[in-house]
């Protein structure tokens, strides 16, 4: 059944890609302008440009199979052709992302594979292969990291491992129960050793001890950083906390760029994952929401501006939206961002859809908690202000201004 469901999701993904592309004139126009051929001979005639849109979309509609009139099997290997199709899908997705206001590029711009269309060669006009901000740098590194991990751990082995994985805990249910019990936003306490903006937050970092202290202090759920390069986290921390008897549902705080990561997180003990709207186009969000539902994960979808909030409110099936008060490109924090994104029609849509809003970043005092709660937040995700405390349990008391453990 899992295999059939997975095949159906994959089919839906390519269908969504084709529909999104064909129904978006702006994207089509930008894509055509970005592709050009150098001088080449076409049927014996000299030519300097050539449109590939009709052939390209024919490839998409036909399940990415090459048209026999274009690709000569004797001159183009199957491997080269598959790489070409992968590049083509990536280019389409990048163009769609740009039309949705996404400025974060998923990987460095590269030239398309050789032998792209039989005897013709063309190049994509590149920007400089340097990340424009810290988030883009993280995402590019994550793309390389995940590519390498996928070579070692196949998706089939992960699906097999799911059969013996811990049953998922009710992440949203825990947040709602905490809100009803305490009258304060449910706390997602973050197990985090370091961050790119603040460096090492806790030298004597023991993830299991920190997690137990959070649970003792009244945390409803825990967020566990698994990125190694920038946050000094790892999936072993997630597994260790899950196996240590901690009852709080666990969010895998990772930079998700590939659906493979969802399966991997689930096998490591995650009950929820983070999907970042600044990184993932709508197509990927929809696709990953389906996978999350299929394998028992809750998705916390993170936004940080009006455009991202509007995009996510137009997608069905989202139950949990996090508002990050940190600008993901500059890392500047402003908690008034939460209030701004929950005012007017947006706030009304959130109430109609019964979406739980999670306040993120810049929350250090009881006054900060009261401010975002008044704006409409029913959960908060906090790391720095409590993990830095000698006793994280006491840090939670200071954050809320009272004991919320009972």
């Amino acid at each position: 059944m899992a295999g059939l469901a997975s095949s159906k999701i994959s089919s839906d993904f390519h269908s969504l890609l084709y529909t999104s592309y064909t129904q978006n004139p702006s994207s089509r126009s930008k894509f055509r302008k970005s592709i050009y051929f150098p001088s080449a001979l076409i049927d014996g005639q000299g030519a300097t440009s050539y449109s590939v849109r009709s052939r390209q979309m024919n490839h998409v509609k036909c399940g990415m199979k090459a048209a026999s009139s274009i690709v000569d099997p004797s001159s183009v290997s199957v491997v080269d052709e598959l790489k070409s199709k992968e590049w083509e899908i990536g280019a389409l997705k990048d163009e769609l992302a740009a039309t949705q206001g996404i400025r974060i590029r998923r990987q460095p711009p590269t030239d398309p594979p050789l032998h792209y269309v039989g005897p013709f060669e063309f190049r994509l006009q590149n920007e400089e292969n340097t990340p424009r901000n810290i988030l883009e740098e993280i995402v590019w590194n994550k793309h390389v990291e995940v590519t390498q991990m996928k070579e070692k751990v196949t998706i089939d082995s992960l699906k097999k491992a799911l059969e013996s994985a811990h049953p998922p805990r009710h992440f949203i249910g825990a947040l709602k129960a905490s809100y009803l019990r305490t009258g304060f936003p449910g706390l997602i306490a973050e197990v985090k050793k370091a961050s790119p903006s603040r460096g090492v937050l806790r030298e004597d970092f023991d993830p299991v001890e920190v997690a137990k202290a959070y649970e003792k202090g009244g945390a409803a759920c825990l967020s566990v950083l698994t990125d190694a390069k920038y946050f000094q986290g790892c999936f072993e921390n997630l597994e260790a906390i899950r196996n240590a008897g901690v009852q709080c549902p666990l969010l895998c705080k990772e930079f998700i760029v590939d659906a493979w990561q969802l399966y991997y997180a689930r096998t490591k003990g995650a009950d929820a994952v983070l999907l970042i709207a600044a990184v993932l186009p709508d197509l990927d969000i929809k696709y990953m929401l389906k996978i999350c539902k299929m394998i028992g994960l809750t998705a916390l979808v993170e936004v940080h501006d009006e455009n991202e909030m509007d995009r996510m409110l137009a997608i069905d099936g989202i139950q949990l939206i996090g508002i990050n008060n940190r600008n993901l490109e500059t890392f500047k924090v402003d908690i008034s961002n939460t209030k701004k994104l929950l005012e007017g029609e947006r706030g009304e849509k959130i109430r109609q859809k019964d979406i739980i809003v999670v306040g993120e970043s810049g929350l250090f005092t009881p006054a900060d908690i009261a401010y975002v709660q008044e704006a409409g937040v029913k959960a908060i995700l906090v790391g720095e202000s409590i993990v830095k405390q000698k006793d994280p349990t006491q840090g939670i008391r200071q954050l809320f201004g009272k004991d919320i453990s009972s």
Side-chain angles (χ1 to χ4, degrees):
M1 289 297 292
L4 290 174
S6 180
S7 297
K8 175 62 165 61
I9 289 175
S10 180
S11 174
D12 290 344
F13 177 75
H14 288 291
S15 176
L16 282 168
L17 175 62
Y18 173 66
T19 301
S20 298
Y21 183 84
T22 55
Q23 292 180 356
N24 195 323
S26 173
S27 177
R28 294 199 301 272
S29 175
K30 290 179 181 178
F31 188 71
R32 287 198 298 271
K33 289 177 181 177
S34 70
I35 296 176
Y36 71 97
F37 287 95
S39 296
L41 289 176
I42 300 178
D43 295 331
Q45 301 292 323
T48 57
S49 65
Y50 188 73
S51 172
V52 297
R53 174 183 171 273
S54 60
R55 175 169 62 254
Q56 177 183 43
M57 296 318 302
N58 183 56
H59 290 176
V60 176
K61 288 186 286 185
C62 296
M64 309 315 298
K65 292 181 179 179
S68 59
S69 62
I70 298 169
V71 179
D72 178 3
S74 65
S75 62
V76 182
S77 72
V78 173
V79 173
D80 283 343
E81 188 176 335
L82 288 175
K83 287 181 179 179
S84 296
K85 300 312 143 194
E86 183 179 356
W87 178 86
E88 186 174 88
I89 285 290
L92 283 170
K93 288 173 68 175
D94 285 346
E95 288 300 322
L96 287 173
T99 67
Q100 294 164 14
I102 297 176
R103 297 182 295 275
I104 301 300
R105 297 169 295 176
R106 295 277 284 277
Q107 55 185 305
T110 57
D111 290 338
L114 295 176
H115 311 299
Y116 184 67
V117 282
F120 310 121
E121 295 179 5
F122 69 88
R123 293 176 286 114
L124 195 65
Q125 298 178 26
N126 286 342
E127 295 184 37
E128 185 179 357
N129 287 355
T130 302
R132 293 177 293 206
N133 52 61
I134 185 61
L135 179 59
E136 191 164 84
E137 180 183 335
I138 292 171
V139 168
W140 286 10
N141 277 281
K142 189 60 61 176
H143 177 82
V144 173
E145 178 186 316
V146 172
T147 299
Q148 293 171 347
M149 292 175 71
K150 287 170 67 176
E151 292 177 354
K152 299 176 182 177
V153 184
T154 67
I155 189 70
D156 287 338
S157 67
L158 291 178
K159 291 177 180 177
K160 181 75 174 176
L162 286 180
E163 297 174 6
S164 57
H166 291 286
R169 293 166 177 162
H170 199 336
F171 196 88
I172 292 177
L175 293 176
K176 288 182 176 180
S178 178
Y179 184 80
L180 291 174
R181 178 177 62 81
T182 67
F184 290 102
L187 173 62
I188 307 171
E190 193 149 82
V191 182
K192 175 168 64 173
K193 181 177 181 178
S195 76
S197 60
R198 299 290 188 179
V200 174
L201 302 173
R202 189 181 186 92
E203 291 288 354
D204 60 333
F205 182 75
D206 183 326
V208 172
E209 292 305 312
V210 170
K212 288 182 176 178
Y214 284 162
E215 187 169 55
K216 181 181 177 182
C221 302
L222 304 181
S223 167
V224 184
L225 262 297
T226 53
D227 177 77
K229 183 170 183 177
Y230 297 92
F231 293 87
Q232 298 188 36
C234 60
F235 281 94
E236 287 74 19
N237 290 349
L238 183 67
E239 276 189 303
I241 293 170
R242 186 62 191 256
N243 294 330
V246 174
Q247 296 302 307
C248 291
L250 305 180
L251 168 73
C252 175
K253 188 75 173 291
E254 176 63 291
F255 293 87
I256 303 292
V257 296
D258 191 293
W260 178 92
Q261 294 168 275
L262 304 178
Y263 291 92
Y264 191 73
R266 180 74 182 82
T267 64
K268 296 298 182 180
D271 304 294
V273 290
L274 180 71
L275 303 179
I276 303 176
V279 172
L280 300 170
D282 299 356
L283 178 69
D284 283 345
I285 296 286
K286 294 174 183 177
Y287 178 57
M288 291 181 182
L289 285 173
K290 288 187 177 185
I291 293 178
C292 285
K293 185 175 181 180
M294 183 180 76
I295 65 178
L297 286 172
T298 297
L300 170 59
V301 183
E302 181 179 281
V303 304
H304 80 290
D305 62 23
E306 295 97 327
N307 174 60
E308 291 169 8
M309 177 66 88
D310 291 340
R311 285 172 47 213
M312 296 307 102
L313 289 178
I315 295 176
D316 292 332
I318 294 177
Q319 299 177 286
L320 203 57
I321 290 181
I323 297 178
N324 197 334
N325 297 313
R326 186 185 305 277
N327 185 306
L328 297 179
E329 297 177 11
T330 66
F331 271 47
K332 182 180 178 181
V333 176
D334 179 5
I335 67 170
S336 68
N337 188 50
T338 294
K339 183 177 180 180
K340 179 177 67 176
L341 296 190
L342 293 179
E343 291 177 330
E345 292 184 7
R346 295 187 182 93
E348 183 58 33
K349 283 184 179 180
I350 286 169
R351 287 187 288 274
Q352 290 174 358
K353 288 174 169 279
D354 195 27
I355 294 172
I356 294 178
V357 177
V358 182
E360 304 175 14
S361 299
L363 306 176
F364 293 91
T365 68
D368 295 334
I369 304 303
Y371 179 86
V372 295
Q373 183 172 6
E374 184 178 351
V377 160
K378 292 188 177 180
I380 56 173
L381 192 155
V382 180
E384 181 180 341
S385 65
I386 51 179
V387 77
K388 292 176 70 173
Q389 301 295 325
K390 184 175 182 180
D391 179 3
T393 298
Q394 183 62 30
I396 292 176
R397 294 193 188 102
Q398 293 175 2
L399 176 66
F400 284 90
K402 63 173 294 185
D403 185 356
I404 63 166
S405 63
S406 58

